[in-house]
Amino acid sequence: MDYATSDMGVPPLERSRERGSTPLGATADQGFKIVVVGGFGVGKTTLVRSVSEIRPLNTEETMTQAGEAIDDIAQVRGKSATTVAFDFGRITLDARNVLYLFGAPGQERFWFLWDRLFTGTLGAVVLVDTRRIDDSWYAIDRLEHHGTPFIVACNDFGGPVRAGGDVREALDLDPHVPLVDCDARSRESGKQVLITLVQHVKNRYADPSARAGLPRQEFV
Amino acid sequence: MSGPGRNRPGRDDAPDRLYTITQGRSRSDPDNPFDLVTLVVAESEPTAGMQSEHVAILKLAQSPTSVVEIAAELRLPVSITKVLLSDLLAAGRISARHPRRPAITDPDILEQVLVGLRNL
Ligand SMILES: Nc1nc2c(ncn2[C@@H]2O[C@H](COP(=O)(O)OP(=O)(O)O)[C@@H](O)[C@H]2O)c(=O)[nH]1
Ligand SMILES: [Mg+2]
């Protein structure tokens, strides 16, 4: 199909009137990112929705089969383009600081886009369904590789309760990485998960010896 | 929100539409300063004859609006949205409040984040 104009479908003007979210205050000037990573159906979108002040929005990034994000239109025109979708929510922290929470699929192809999308991420929550614990190994490995601080949150799906030590061992988790239980449907529980993460990140950077010994996030 | 019949430019095989939106220009990543959470603020009103995507961005960004929200509202891939934003920035029609990277390792600023979360 050959589009003569860029106005196929709903014109952006019309779309912008449908905007569902409340605008930020005029003084907002610092955006933070936290990424929730986990396998399909583990509760990422549910957690984002629980704590977000806007209904979760969905967006995507385009990349080549080789895994490079696309900003060259010639590549989009080629046949090798594919897209990775992710959803996000927003939390206004105060007059200047605003936190964006991203739900990101843990699959391998997604990690090609990590640098592009999530460089400068404050930290990550690895969301785990204890009935499918193996799904999380890859995400933990990648986060360690990228030097992104993270915690692990076990989402309660009402399955048999596994002891924390059991889960820690199954995930081969470092002793310093916090491991918490959560119910992604609960705002209070989601809030506690985020507090645990930020406290963990703060402790890490407040302690100069820990700082020296830990991998540094690369800033591009 | 998503559903059958919803137009998702960029997701489906509509590269020609994306080509038109950006007028075929490409931009290599190091040149593009925009982060997903860069807050964009419109510095001018839309004018007659302006590209519809540029108009939509200027209307959305009347108050600070993140790149990722703009991409979601316009239903365009993030990378294409960044090309559009670069044009507007170069033309002086928007300003950009980029995230300050050292903030994420600054214990004082992380404490501000914690206070904000506890107050939720
Ligand atoms: N019992 C229970 N169900 C949950 C919980 N979190 C999410 N779910 C359900 O699990 C399903 C998948 O959740 P979703 O957030 O879409 O997963 P995602 O694929 O990781 O985004 C949905 O039907 C949710 O309602 C939880 O904490 N407990
Ligand atoms: Mg989801």
Side-chain angles (χ1 to χ4, degrees):
Chain A
M1 203 190 285
D2 194 21
Y3 296 129
T5 73
S6 61
D7 287 334
M8 290 299 291
V10 187
L13 250 173
E14 286 300 317
R15 290 186 215 133
S16 67
R17 290 200 195 102
E18 298 166 10
R19 182 180 191 186
S21 52
T22 341
L24 293 173
T27 53
D29 71 349
Q30 171 73 15
F32 292 94
K33 295 179 274 197
I34 286 180
V35 189
V36 182
V37 208
F40 181 75
V42 79
K44 301 180 297 293
T45 303
T46 305
L47 177 60
V48 170
R49 182 181 297 118
S50 294
V51 292
S52 177
E53 67 198 20
I54 58 173
R55 75 184 155 80
L57 293 168
N58 191 271
T59 192
E60 65 211 6
E61 184 58 301
T62 317
M63 64 178 191
T64 63
Q65 297 292 343
E68 291 154 346
I70 288 180
D71 50 18
D72 183 337
I73 303 306
Q75 291 178 291
V76 181
R77 288 169 71 76
K79 291 181 173 60
S80 61
T82 181
T83 60
V84 174
F86 55 97
D87 46 21
F88 66 94
R90 190 182 81 195
I91 297 171
T92 299
L93 297 165
D94 55 46
R96 296 184 62 182
N97 297 315
V98 54
L99 172 63
Y100 288 85
L101 195 59
F102 296 90
Q107 307 105 321
E108 197 161 343
R109 65 175 190 150
F110 171 78
W111 292 92
F112 290 120
L113 280 170
W114 181 274
D115 282 334
R116 158 74 59 115
L117 296 173
F118 299 125
T119 292
T121 286
L122 194 159
V125 176
V126 178
L127 201 54
V128 174
D129 177 347
T130 55
R131 300 166 303 180
R132 299 180 287 135
I133 218 159
D134 298 1
D135 286 7
S136 317
W137 283 343
Y138 192 73
I140 289 173
D141 181 70
R142 294 329 292 163
L143 290 170
E144 284 173 348
H145 171 83
H146 285 274
T148 305
F150 66 93
I151 67 165
V152 175
C154 297
N155 201 8
D156 175 18
F157 282 92
V161 176
R162 292 183 66 157
D166 191 10
V167 174
R168 188 176 286 280
E169 194 172 323
L171 288 173
D172 194 19
L173 211 56
D174 245 53
H176 78 271
V177 176
L179 175 67
V180 296
D181 288 318
C182 81
D183 182 336
R185 298 162 300 180
S186 153
R187 178 176 169 85
E188 189 54 37
S189 180
K191 179 179 150 179
Q192 285 310 319
V193 168
L194 297 180
I195 288 172
T196 303
L197 172 66
V198 179
Q199 188 68 59
H200 172 60
V201 176
K202 188 186 163 205
N203 292 347
R204 166 177 163 150
Y205 293 117
D207 177 355
S209 62
R211 195 177 198 153
L214 285 162
R216 282 173 48 82
Q217 263 201 93
E218 283 171 37
F219 300 134
V220 178
Chain B
M1 48 187 258
S2 60
R6 180 178 164 190
N7 189 30
R8 293 300 308 251
R11 166 161 300 172
D12 308 314
D13 54 345
D16 287 329
R17 180 176 184 275
L18 300 181
Y19 186 83
T20 310
I21 288 173
T22 58
Q23 288 151 24
R25 286 158 302 105
S26 61
R27 207 57 61 92
S28 64
D29 193 44
D31 296 338
N32 197 308
F34 288 95
D35 189 278
L36 278 185
V37 299
T38 295
L39 298 172
V40 174
V41 184
E43 297 293 346
S44 69
E45 297 290 324
T47 54
M50 191 181 265
Q51 185 178 348
S52 61
E53 288 80 10
H54 286 171
V55 173
I57 290 171
L58 292 181
K59 289 172 93 73
L60 274 171
Q62 282 167 6
S63 50
T65 305
S66 63
V67 170
V68 70
E69 281 175 281
I70 291 170
E73 295 289 348
L74 265 57
R75 292 167 195 169
L76 287 171
V78 172
S79 49
I80 302 295
T81 304
K82 288 180 179 177
V83 173
L84 293 168
L85 290 169
S86 294
D87 291 342
L88 289 167
L89 187 66
R93 295 195 166 275
I94 58 169
S95 57
R97 302 174 183 174
H98 299 298
R100 293 179 296 278
R101 289 282 161 73
I104 61 166
T105 56
D106 181 331
D108 293 335
I109 292 175
L110 290 168
E111 181 59 29
Q112 292 173 18
V113 175
L114 277 172
V115 168
L117 287 173
R118 291 196 190 103
N119 287 339
L120 278 188

